[in-house]
Structures are given as C-alpha cells and as structure tokens.
Amino acid sequence: MLDDETPVLDNHLHLDPDNHRGIDAVRDFARLGGTHLLVVNKPSWHLGVEAETGEDFRAVFERTIEIVDEASSELDGRAWPVLGVHPGLITRLVDDRGFSPNDARDLMQAGIDVAAEYVESGEALALKSGRPHYEVDDDVWAASNAVMRRAFERGAELDCAVQLHAEASEDMTEVADWAEEAGLPAHKVVKHYASGRLEGPIPSVMSEKDRLETAAERGEPFLMETDYIDDPDRPGAVLGPKTVPRRVRWLLEGGHEDAVRIAHVETPERVYGIDTEGTLERA
C-alpha cells in the first residue's frame, strides 16, 4: 500500500456498469492504493445508444453518473464524471448511418450541450471531446474540429476543463490556441492518452514507464491515466485499473516525489479545481 497521505488519481478510465467489471475494477484500484478517479462515459453506442438527438445522450450520462457515485463509495478519496461525445462517433454516423458530416456535427454538438448541463449543475466535473485519431476525409475532419470547438466554448462558459481524444502528437499548440480563442485557458485542455512530452494542452500520460519517466524528468504539469476501457472483448487493449497505483509506487521508489505531487495534487487542482488531499480520508 501507499502511505496515507499520497493521493493517487487515474485521470481517464471507463467503467461499464452493466456488462463487465464495473465496481470490481474500482476495488482493484483502491486495494493497490488508488484514491481518486475521473470516469469518462463510454462511447454512446457501447451502451446501446444510437443517438438521433442531443437528448438521446442523456441516458449515457445518467448511467455514468450512477456508476461514479458507486465508485466514490469504494474509494478513500472520490470519483468524478467527465461527460461528452466520443469523436469516433462521427465515423459511425457518416459511414454506417448515412449522416452527412454537417448533420453528424450538429448531433454531436447537441450532445456536448447536454453534457454541459451536467457540469453546470455540478453533477459532472469536465467535458470530453476531440477528433478522430485516424485518417478521415477533409469534411469529416472539419466537422470534428467544429465539435471540439463547441466543447471549448462550453468549457469557457462553465470554467471547466475539456479532455480531448485526438491523434498522437507532441505538439498541439494550434488546438490549445483554439481553446484560448474561445476563452478557455490552455491549461484547462487535457490531451488524454498522451506521451510524456506535449506542447499546448496538459498531457494525461498513459502510465507506461518510459512515458512517465519522460514526464517526470520534464518537471512540467501532467496527469496519469490508464484509459481502462472495461471491455470483456478487449482485455489487453489498454492498461488495467491497478496500473496507476503501481506506477506511483515505482515513481516514488525512483526518487520522483516531486513528479508524483505534480501529477496527483498540483495539476488536478490547476486543471479541474479539485483538492485531492482535502478529499482524501484513508482509514
């Protein structure tokens, strides 16, 4: 176990409340010393929702909030929901369901607007958006960027962070500039599944040792994540829920106490306004 004073936050993972491990994954995280979670809603179609309107996303968001409430009861800290529309939805809409890119854009922006309602009411902490991490047509790319910009606009209005699912890159200053233009500070934009080095947004670093070593040695703000997807058909697709506590212990053993504090106390406060120490109550 980690010591009683060290918060351990996994900044981005998914929980399937109905079809896979759900709360058992949270218990694994907690047993290893994990204390705080940011739980991102699974892609809407993974929960059986084929949205036709923005309101249709509400069922996905409500179910995510329910599992987050359950997760908090298992933690010495707490969990928060991050709600939004997965950018891969645009491909499903255009290629599989016959939407035009502009109609897909409008539907996804409407979903972002509904997610923003939960942030405004205090039921969610942040928004999730982005753009495909794979090659798409120019019109789909433009529509995806428009969805992401809507998330920045809503984040600016609500003073909340926006987590991005996007292509692999070590320089996303253009995207951070778009957020700034919308009134959202660049430090409230988080690139999930990041490497240890990133210009522009805050990197949420996949908790592999080489990536973490790079982030720790830079001394810049960063977060740690697993992107655990809680999918029985893809058990080894990403890192498991025990990984972040194990990597925190590894960082501490390697003398990276400052990096651990940056990732689990200082950066969460700066990005999300959350107090991981003040919400920590180990038995």
Side-chain angles (χ1 to χ4, degrees), residues 76-117:
D76 289 334
R78 60 162 295 181
W80 292 271
V82 176
L83 304 180
V85 179
H86 193 286
L89 177 61
I90 197 164
T91 299
R92 189 172 182 86
L93 293 173
V94 172
D95 291 357
D96 299 341
R97 295 179 56 195
F99 278 63
S100 72
N102 285 347
D103 287 343
R105 173 201 65 204
D106 293 347
L107 173 59
M108 293 170 71
Q109 286 180 333
I112 294 291
D113 290 341
V114 173
E117 294 179 21

Side-chain angles (χ1 to χ4, degrees), residues 205-222:
V205 179
M206 277 294 282
S207 295
E208 297 161 344
K209 290 183 178 179
D210 56 343
R211 297 187 189 215
L212 291 175
E213 210 157 34
T214 299
E217 288 171 358
R218 290 185 77 210
E220 298 290 329
F222 76 102

